[in-house]
């Protein structure tokens, strides 16, 4: 039986404005995402250092988490969004002028502090303008801007790099982000009523109801960060040209599958999407580890999209619907604490695995292959956590979702 109403509109004017702003922000960041490992490598970084540079932004993202949930309860979300995007602009300027690893790490730390605010705020803003009966579908559609950015951003970034170099590429991203910051400041958002009885403390930045989905995101997001961090270097070690098309294949299949997956989650419940998604995600690492041609990498990108790409917004929906609407910023913050920890820990472990195999005499491409096989382990742990707890403790029911399993 279908839950909720099909008459509830997703594409309202506030949602469309947020979608556009989020697209520009994510496009600018994905445009330079593929450049980050190459820039670190050009500055003499080892595989471990590349992992550290990529994942270290999570240190400051986690450091600001205690303030994020509290800020969403007491500050206009549009102002928070504009301020955090301006922080990323500053980080991009530092990327543009970086001539050593130390400056690059400083820029990543600043970027991380901004990201600590950015993702929870945008997700909370989107959820507040979506009908509760179509929350999973709406969150899935909202994330399609990120999917398109994933498709075209890395390829555009690599093209800019080949044509103009690192400095111009990062400054182009900074210009796009500056435009997004101006647009975000112009969005109308209500002044938060605050949180009666909630002081600056534990409950202001962690929703205990959302801890289990956050744990699952730690496992899945951390594993996916291994893809983002090393896929370009891995493809080049295999002699594959145009490896940036991996991201295009990933995004194309998200565009095809995510709206349907969100609708299925709203109608039949989140497990229908999450369980098959995690299984497909694990399979994608097997395919990546064995890929030797561009076709193999494109197939891996498609399977990864059918895995991580469709279950990520479903897990985010689980977090958002576990609390009252007033605390969605806190729940979103909790979700991203798990994601930040995954981004911090697993790329460094992945880089260590690669370096260990290379030091033992393995060819670089074989070292990358072994690393991707090992990333099946956190995905398996995430699936087990979900199967054991199915969203954790008590949750406030949403008309779009089934009650928690007995």
């Amino acid at each position: 039986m279908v839950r909720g109403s099909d008459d509830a509109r997703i594409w309202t004017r506030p949602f469309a404005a947020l979608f556009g702003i989020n697209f520009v922000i994510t496009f600018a960041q994905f445009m330079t995402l593929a450049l980050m490992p190459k820039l670190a490598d050009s500055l003499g970084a080892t595989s471990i250092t590349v992992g550290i540079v990529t994942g270290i932004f999570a240190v400051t993202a986690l450091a600001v988490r205690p303030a994020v949930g509290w800020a969403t309860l007491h500050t206009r979300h549009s102002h928070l969004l504009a301020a955090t995007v301006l922080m990323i602009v500053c980080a991009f300027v530092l990327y543009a002028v970086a001539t050593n690893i130390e400056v690059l790490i400083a820029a990543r730390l600043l970027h991380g502090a901004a990201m600590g605010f950015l993702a929870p705020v945008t997700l909370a803003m989107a959820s507040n303008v979506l009908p509760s009966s179509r929350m999973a579908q709406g969150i899935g559609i909202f994330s399609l801007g990120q999917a398109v950015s994933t498709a075209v951003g890395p390829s555009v970034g690599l093209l800019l790099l080949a044509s103009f170099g690192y400095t111009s590429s990062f400054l182009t991203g900074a210009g796009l982000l500056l435009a997004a910051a101006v647009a975000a400041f112009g969005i109308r958002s209500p002044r938060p009523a605050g949180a009666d009885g909630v002081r600056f403390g534990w409950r202001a930045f962690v929703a205990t109801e959302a801890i289990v989905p956050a744990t699952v995101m730690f496992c899945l997001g951390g594993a996916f960060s291994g893809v983002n961090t090393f896929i370009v270097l891995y493809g080049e070690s295999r002699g594959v040209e145009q490896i940036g098309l991996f991201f295009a294949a990933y995004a194309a299949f998200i565009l095809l599958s995510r709206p349907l997956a969100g609708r299925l989650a709203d109608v039949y419940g989140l497990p229908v999407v999450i369980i098959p998604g995690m299984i497909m995600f694990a399979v994608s690492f097997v395919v990546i580890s064995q890929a030797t041609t561009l076709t193999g990498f494109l197939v891996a990108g498609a399977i990864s999209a059918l895995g991580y790409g469709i279950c990520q917004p479903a897990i985010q929906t689980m977090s958002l619907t576990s609390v009252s609407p007033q605390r969605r910023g806190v729940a979103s913050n909790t979700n991203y604490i798990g994601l930040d920890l995954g981004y911090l820990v697993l790329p460094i472990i992945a880089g260590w695995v690669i370096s260990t195999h290379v030091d033992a005499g393995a060819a670089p491409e074989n070292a990358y292959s072994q690393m991707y096989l090992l990333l099946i382990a956190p995905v398996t742990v995430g699936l087990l956590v979900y199967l054991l707890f199915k969203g954790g403790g008590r949750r406030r029911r949403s008309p779009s979702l089934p009650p928690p399993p007995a």
Side-chain angles (χ1 to χ4, degrees):
M1 187 173 95
V2 175
R3 301 175 182 89
S5 171
D6 289 331
D7 296 331
R9 292 177 58 207
I10 290 177
W11 283 102
T12 59
R13 182 175 294 180
F15 180 82
L18 283 170
F19 182 93
I21 291 170
N22 188 57
F23 169 75
V24 173
I25 294 171
T26 54
F27 174 80
Q29 296 194 87
F30 274 99
M31 187 180 73
T32 56
L33 179 64
L35 308 186
M36 193 60 59
K38 291 178 69 67
L39 176 57
D41 186 62
S42 72
L43 295 175
T46 64
S47 294
I48 294 178
T49 306
V50 170
I52 291 173
V53 168
T54 303
I56 200 169
F57 82 100
V59 171
T60 42
L62 285 167
V64 302
R65 289 297 180 200
V68 174
W70 183 87
T72 62
L73 295 171
H74 296 85
T75 309
R76 290 183 190 272
H77 290 180
S78 59
H79 293 180
L80 279 177
L81 179 56
T84 55
V85 175
L86 287 175
M87 288 177 64
I88 301 177
V89 170
C90 294
F92 270 50
V93 172
L94 284 177
Y95 293 147
V97 301
T99 57
N100 55 59
I101 294 296
E102 289 75 16
V103 173
L104 191 57
I105 288 177
R108 290 295 283 169
L109 291 172
L110 177 61
H111 194 169
M115 288 300 294
F117 282 90
L118 180 65
V121 169
T122 53
L123 193 59
M125 290 177 73
S127 69
N128 286 337
V129 298
L130 286 169
S132 60
S133 62
R134 303 183 70 184
M135 183 69 71
Q137 187 180 12
I139 293 297
I141 290 173
F142 184 72
S143 63
L144 289 181
Q146 180 176 332
V148 175
S149 302
T150 305
V152 298
S155 296
V156 171
L158 291 171
L159 179 62
L160 285 173
L161 175 62
S163 302
F164 304 106
Y166 288 108
T167 299
S168 295
S169 300
F170 283 110
L171 289 179
T172 300
L176 291 173
L177 289 166
L178 184 60
V182 173
F185 194 79
I187 291 180
R188 292 182 179 181
S189 62
R191 185 185 301 276
D196 295 337
V198 178
R199 299 179 179 179
F200 186 83
W202 175 260
R203 283 186 54 79
F205 71 95
V206 171
T208 55
E209 306 94 326
I211 286 178
V212 168
T215 303
V216 176
M217 283 308 304
F218 165 82
C219 297
L220 302 188
F224 188 67
S225 70
V227 177
N228 284 337
T229 302
F230 295 106
I231 197 69
V232 172
L233 297 176
Y234 178 38
E236 290 176 349
S237 75
R238 292 286 196 190
V240 175
E241 298 181 357
Q242 296 181 315
I243 187 61
L245 291 176
F246 171 91
F247 299 101
Y250 174 86
F253 274 80
I254 283 184
L255 289 171
L256 292 172
S257 62
R258 206 171 254 185
L260 175 61
R263 181 58 181 155
L264 289 173
D266 282 329
V267 175
Y268 300 107
L270 295 173
V272 170
V273 170
I274 293 175
I275 295 174
M278 283 198 256
I279 293 172
M280 292 290 287
F281 189 38
V283 171
S284 73
F285 285 103
V286 178
V287 179
I288 291 174
S289 72
Q290 302 303 310
T292 58
T293 65
L294 179 59
T295 300
F297 280 98
L298 296 181
V299 171
I303 297 174
S304 182
L306 295 175
Y308 181 72
I310 64 172
C311 65
Q312 179 197 21
I315 296 168
Q316 290 173 331
T317 301
M318 183 193 305
S319 296
L320 294 168
T321 55
S322 68
V323 299
S324 64
Q326 292 77 15
R327 299 190 71 234
R328 284 177 181 165
V330 182
S332 178
N333 187 52
T334 307
N335 180 77
Y336 280 103
I337 287 175
L339 194 61
D340 288 343
L341 283 170
Y343 282 167
L344 173 63
V345 174
L346 290 182
I348 296 174
I349 294 176
W352 174 80
V353 170
I354 296 167
S355 293
T356 300
H357 280 79
V358 170
D359 291 343
E365 61 269 23
N366 293 332
Y368 287 117
S369 178
Q370 291 300 310
M371 179 272 293
Y372 280 116
L373 282 175
L374 288 175
L375 287 179
I376 296 173
V379 179
T380 303
V381 172
L383 177 59
L384 291 174
V385 169
Y386 178 78
L387 291 175
L388 286 172
F389 298 100
K390 293 284 184 67
R394 294 178 301 171
R395 52 192 278 183
R396 291 171 174 82
R397 297 184 181 182
S398 165
S400 64
L401 298 171

